[in-house]
Each structure stands twice: as structure tokens, then as C-alpha cells.
């Protein structure tokens, strides 16, 4: 039917509280009064609005981590939500990588909207610089997380922090086992 599909789609995305003060707010909404830290985000065609449990868990982890002045890698950046959060939380630079061209477009546009584009580099090349990251975030599927374990281990500096998400609870044992040769790793949180 001839309807305003843009408005219908936009109506599905409301502001999302990550913590009482940290909010993800679509550009067509006003930020709630309680919001002290706001990411303006329009989903576009890429994954990551803050409403999915795996994204929310990563955002909560980032909010509780010290990323100020650090080099962050967001592997599988989707909408750019995690890269933007890291930049807004003080990361010196963020490398946002995705093999989906729509994700890179969404990340670029959302980074500009949030005033952090100059600190985020975008790449579609899955190559990872050895020892180039202090923090590595990957909110992708369990299979790729397992396959990428040796590459992620090489990409992180000694003492770096790794946050993996995007898997089902019954996949956690296989994913953590793949990382144990390099990391002291465990399940930090689960949701839904």
C-alpha cells in the first residue's frame, strides 16, 4: 500500500537507555532529560541500534571500561555504534572494519552525526595489524569468532582487552575455548 514507510520504520526505533545516563537516540527523537551521554544513531541498512541484547552488552562493557587514550578495533562495525561509543568515551583512535559496504556507509554517516569521524578509520579489508589494538570488540557470530581467535590474539597488544558478543549461551564454551591459548577469558554477562 501507498504509506509513509519511512515514518512507519522510524516509529520502531525509540531512544534506548544503556545506563541511566548513557542513551542511544535516533536523530528524529529528542534526548531524554536524564541522558548525560548520547549517541545519535540512525540504523540505515546496518546492524546495531542498541536494542539487540548483544549490542547492549557490548555498550555496557565499554561504558564500564577505561578506553580513554587507547587504540580500539571494532571488528564487524555494522552501524558503527560500538566504534562511536568508544570514540565518545575517549578512545584515541578507533579502527572500524566490516566486509559489508552498507555497514561502512552507516558507520561513516553516524560518526559524522556524532562529531567523531576524525577519530574513526573505516576499512573493508579484514587484515589486522599485529599488536595494533589496546581494545578489540567483535559483536559477530560464534563461528567467525572461533575462526578469528588466532588473528585477534595477534592484533591485540599484550595486556589488551577483548570483548566478544553475538553468540548464544550454548555457544559460549566453544568460543571461550578457542581463545584460551591466548587469553584469560570468561563469560562476563548474558542476556535473553
Amino acid at each position: 500500500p501507498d504509506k509513509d514507510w519511512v515514518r512507519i520504520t522510524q516509529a520502531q526505533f525509540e531512544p534506548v537507555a544503556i545506563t541511566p545516563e548513557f542513551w542511544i537516540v535516533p536523530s528524529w527523537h529528542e534526548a531524554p532529560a536524564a541522558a548525560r551521554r548520547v549517541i545519535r544513531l540512525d540504523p540505515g541498512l546496518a546492524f546495531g541500534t542498541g536494542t539487540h541484547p548483544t549490542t547492549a552488552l557490548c555498550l555496557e562493557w565499554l561504558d564500564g571500561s577505561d578506553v580513554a587514550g587507547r587504540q580500539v578495533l571494532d571488528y564487524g562495525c555494522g552501524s558503527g555504534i560500538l566504534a562511536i561509543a568508544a570514540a565518545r568515551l575517549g578512545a584515541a583512535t578507533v579502527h572500524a572494519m566490516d566486509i559489508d559496504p552498507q555497514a561502512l556507509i552507516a558507520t561513516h554517516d553516524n560518526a559524522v552525526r556524532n562529531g567523531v569521524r576524525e577519530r574513526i578509520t573505516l576499512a573493508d579489508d579484514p587484515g589486522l595489524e599485529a599488536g595494533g589494538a589496546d581494545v578489540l570488540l567483535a559483536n559477530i557470530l560464534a563461528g567467525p569468532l572461533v575462526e578469528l581467535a588466532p588473528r585477534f590474539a595477534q592484533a591485540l597488544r599484550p595486556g589488551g582487552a577483548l570483548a566478544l558478543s553475538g553468540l548464544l549461551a550454548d555457544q559460549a564454551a566453544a568460543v571461550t575455548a578457542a581463545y584460551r591459548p591466548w587469553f584469560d577469558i570468561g563469560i562476563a554477562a548474558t542476556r535473553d
Side-chain angles (χ1 to χ4, degrees):
D2 187 17
K3 293 183 180 180
D4 187 346
W5 291 106
V6 171
R7 287 204 191 282
I8 291 169
T9 300
Q10 287 179 340
Q12 297 174 27
F13 298 104
E14 296 287 328
V16 175
I18 301 305
T19 69
E21 294 185 346
F22 180 22
W23 287 73
I24 309 301
V25 181
S27 64
W28 55 88
H29 281 283
E30 290 297 318
R36 299 289 173 256
R37 288 188 312 279
V38 173
I39 294 177
R40 290 287 183 178
L41 190 89
D42 292 346
L45 298 177
F47 178 81
T49 61
T51 59
H52 195 274
T54 64
T55 307
L57 286 168
C58 286
L59 289 166
E60 289 171 11
W61 182 86
L62 263 174
D63 191 55
S65 299
D66 181 13
V67 298
R70 301 181 88 190
Q71 310 296 316
V72 176
L73 171 60
D74 179 5
Y75 194 94
C77 60
S79 68
I81 191 168
L82 300 180
I84 293 164
R88 297 288 301 271
L89 291 167
T93 60
V94 181
H95 184 74
M97 183 270 155
D98 206 299
I99 59 173
D100 179 358
Q102 291 297 322
L104 296 175
I105 291 167
T107 297
H108 172 273
D109 294 348
N110 286 320
V112 168
R113 189 174 289 111
N114 285 277
V116 294
R117 177 62 185 95
E118 70 283 352
R119 284 190 286 147
I120 297 176
T121 60
L122 302 169
D124 63 357
D125 175 9
L128 300 174
E129 178 186 338
D134 298 306
V135 178
L136 191 152
L137 306 161
N139 183 20
I140 57 178
L141 300 174
L145 287 175
V146 169
E147 291 174 25
L148 289 163
R151 293 180 64 206
F152 284 178
Q154 186 179 28
L156 270 170
R157 292 187 175 122
L162 176 71
L164 306 174
S165 192
L167 52 143
L168 301 172
D170 64 358
Q171 298 169 323
V175 173
T176 55
Y179 284 82
R180 283 221 171 80
W182 302 279
F183 298 97
D184 177 16
I185 190 166
I187 299 169
T190 61
R191 182 172 299 156
D192 297 341

